[in-house]
mmCIF file of all heavy atoms in Angstrom:
data_model
loop_
_atom_site.group_PDB
_atom_site.id
_atom_site.type_symbol
_atom_site.label_atom_id
_atom_site.label_comp_id
_atom_site.label_asym_id
_atom_site.label_seq_id
_atom_site.Cartn_x
_atom_site.Cartn_y
_atom_site.Cartn_z
ATOM 1 N N TYR J 291 -62.406 84.175 -3.197
ATOM 2 C CA TYR J 291 -63.425 83.665 -4.115
ATOM 3 C C TYR J 291 -63.323 84.537 -5.363
ATOM 4 O O TYR J 291 -63.766 85.680 -5.351
ATOM 5 C CB TYR J 291 -64.820 83.789 -3.507
ATOM 6 C CG TYR J 291 -65.059 82.870 -2.321
ATOM 7 C CD1 TYR J 291 -65.095 83.358 -1.026
ATOM 8 C CD2 TYR J 291 -65.250 81.506 -2.527
ATOM 9 C CE1 TYR J 291 -65.327 82.515 0.048
ATOM 10 C CE2 TYR J 291 -65.485 80.654 -1.466
ATOM 11 C CZ TYR J 291 -65.524 81.161 -0.176
ATOM 12 O OH TYR J 291 -65.753 80.318 0.877
ATOM 13 N N ALA J 296 -61.806 86.873 1.021
ATOM 14 C CA ALA J 296 -62.743 86.600 2.113
ATOM 15 C C ALA J 296 -62.028 86.502 3.458
ATOM 16 O O ALA J 296 -62.627 86.726 4.502
ATOM 17 C CB ALA J 296 -63.517 85.315 1.842
ATOM 18 N N ASN J 316 -72.731 85.860 10.781
ATOM 19 C CA ASN J 316 -72.901 85.357 9.415
ATOM 20 C C ASN J 316 -71.989 86.122 8.476
ATOM 21 O O ASN J 316 -71.871 87.334 8.566
ATOM 22 C CB ASN J 316 -74.347 85.545 8.946
ATOM 23 C CG ASN J 316 -75.312 84.650 9.705
ATOM 24 O OD1 ASN J 316 -76.274 85.110 10.273
ATOM 25 N ND2 ASN J 316 -75.033 83.370 9.726
ATOM 26 N N GLY J 317 -71.332 85.365 7.597
ATOM 27 C CA GLY J 317 -70.471 86.012 6.614
ATOM 28 C C GLY J 317 -69.114 86.421 7.142
ATOM 29 O O GLY J 317 -68.341 87.078 6.447
ATOM 30 N N ALA J 318 -68.785 86.028 8.371
ATOM 31 C CA ALA J 318 -67.509 86.432 8.956
ATOM 32 C C ALA J 318 -66.332 85.726 8.306
ATOM 33 O O ALA J 318 -65.214 86.243 8.277
ATOM 34 C CB ALA J 318 -67.520 86.149 10.456
ATOM 35 N N GLY J 319 -66.572 84.533 7.793
ATOM 36 C CA GLY J 319 -65.490 83.786 7.159
ATOM 37 C C GLY J 319 -65.167 82.473 7.846
ATOM 38 O O GLY J 319 -64.117 81.871 7.596
ATOM 39 N N LYS J 320 -66.078 81.993 8.681
ATOM 40 C CA LYS J 320 -65.827 80.750 9.410
ATOM 41 C C LYS J 320 -65.758 79.552 8.465
ATOM 42 O O LYS J 320 -64.814 78.764 8.487
ATOM 43 C CB LYS J 320 -66.939 80.527 10.453
ATOM 44 C CG LYS J 320 -67.139 81.710 11.374
ATOM 45 C CD LYS J 320 -68.242 81.471 12.378
ATOM 46 C CE LYS J 320 -69.629 81.260 11.781
ATOM 47 N NZ LYS J 320 -70.205 82.450 11.137
ATOM 48 N N THR J 321 -66.799 79.445 7.651
ATOM 49 C CA THR J 321 -66.814 78.339 6.686
ATOM 50 C C THR J 321 -65.611 78.427 5.763
ATOM 51 O O THR J 321 -64.957 77.417 5.465
ATOM 52 C CB THR J 321 -68.124 78.378 5.863
ATOM 53 O OG1 THR J 321 -69.215 78.169 6.749
ATOM 54 C CG2 THR J 321 -68.126 77.325 4.781
ATOM 55 N N THR J 322 -65.318 79.633 5.335
ATOM 56 C CA THR J 322 -64.180 79.817 4.432
ATOM 57 C C THR J 322 -62.879 79.335 5.081
ATOM 58 O O THR J 322 -62.032 78.734 4.411
ATOM 59 C CB THR J 322 -64.060 81.304 4.038
ATOM 60 O OG1 THR J 322 -65.310 81.744 3.510
ATOM 61 C CG2 THR J 322 -62.960 81.507 3.013
ATOM 62 N N GLU J 362 -70.680 72.429 6.041
ATOM 63 C CA GLU J 362 -71.953 73.121 6.189
ATOM 64 C C GLU J 362 -72.922 72.451 5.232
ATOM 65 O O GLU J 362 -72.602 72.189 4.094
ATOM 66 C CB GLU J 362 -71.722 74.580 5.753
ATOM 67 C CG GLU J 362 -72.697 75.565 6.268
ATOM 68 C CD GLU J 362 -72.254 76.991 5.925
ATOM 69 O OE1 GLU J 362 -71.573 77.189 4.907
ATOM 70 O OE2 GLU J 362 -72.586 77.908 6.688
ATOM 71 N N GLU J 439 -70.763 74.032 11.951
ATOM 72 C CA GLU J 439 -72.092 74.150 12.547
ATOM 73 C C GLU J 439 -72.771 72.803 12.741
ATOM 74 O O GLU J 439 -73.833 72.546 12.169
ATOM 75 C CB GLU J 439 -72.972 75.076 11.691
ATOM 76 C CG GLU J 439 -72.352 76.448 11.562
ATOM 77 C CD GLU J 439 -73.358 77.502 11.113
ATOM 78 O OE1 GLU J 439 -74.560 77.295 11.314
ATOM 79 O OE2 GLU J 439 -72.922 78.538 10.590
ATOM 80 N N GLN J 472 -72.758 78.583 15.508
ATOM 81 C CA GLN J 472 -73.590 79.757 15.756
ATOM 82 C C GLN J 472 -73.956 79.784 17.236
ATOM 83 O O GLN J 472 -74.083 80.832 17.840
ATOM 84 C CB GLN J 472 -74.887 79.683 14.939
ATOM 85 C CG GLN J 472 -74.714 79.875 13.462
ATOM 86 C CD GLN J 472 -74.291 81.278 13.100
ATOM 87 O OE1 GLN J 472 -74.498 82.207 13.871
ATOM 88 N NE2 GLN J 472 -73.660 81.425 11.947
HETATM 89 N N1 ATP E 236 -68.856 80.544 -3.018
HETATM 90 C C1 ATP E 236 -68.627 81.845 -2.709
HETATM 91 N N2 ATP E 236 -68.403 82.739 -3.690
HETATM 92 C C2 ATP E 236 -68.191 84.043 -3.404
HETATM 93 N N3 ATP E 236 -68.162 84.547 -2.180
HETATM 94 C C3 ATP E 236 -68.373 83.711 -1.152
HETATM 95 C C4 ATP E 236 -68.623 82.310 -1.368
HETATM 96 N N4 ATP E 236 -68.798 81.723 -0.174
HETATM 97 C C5 ATP E 236 -68.664 82.704 0.740
HETATM 98 N N5 ATP E 236 -68.407 83.892 0.167
HETATM 99 C C6 ATP E 236 -68.192 85.174 0.865
HETATM 100 O O1 ATP E 236 -67.147 85.042 1.793
HETATM 101 C C7 ATP E 236 -67.457 85.655 3.017
HETATM 102 C C8 ATP E 236 -67.351 84.643 4.153
HETATM 103 O O2 ATP E 236 -68.306 83.644 3.977
HETATM 104 P P1 ATP E 236 -68.385 82.335 4.873
HETATM 105 O O3 ATP E 236 -69.279 81.366 4.209
HETATM 106 O O4 ATP E 236 -67.020 81.883 5.207
HETATM 107 O O5 ATP E 236 -69.093 82.926 6.179
HETATM 108 P P2 ATP E 236 -69.508 82.174 7.504
HETATM 109 O O6 ATP E 236 -68.779 82.824 8.614
HETATM 110 O O7 ATP E 236 -69.363 80.719 7.390
HETATM 111 O O8 ATP E 236 -71.048 82.590 7.595
HETATM 112 P P3 ATP E 236 -72.315 81.732 8.106
HETATM 113 O O9 ATP E 236 -72.353 81.850 9.571
HETATM 114 O O10 ATP E 236 -73.473 82.449 7.483
HETATM 115 O O11 ATP E 236 -72.181 80.334 7.630
HETATM 116 C C9 ATP E 236 -68.852 86.222 2.849
HETATM 117 O O12 ATP E 236 -68.717 87.608 2.612
HETATM 118 C C10 ATP E 236 -69.428 85.543 1.662
HETATM 119 O O13 ATP E 236 -70.248 86.402 0.942
#
Side-chain angles (χ1 to χ4, degrees):
Chain J
Y291 292 106
N316 292 125
K320 307 179 297 292
T321 296
T322 306
E362 201 172 29
E439 301 198 23
Q472 289 292 338

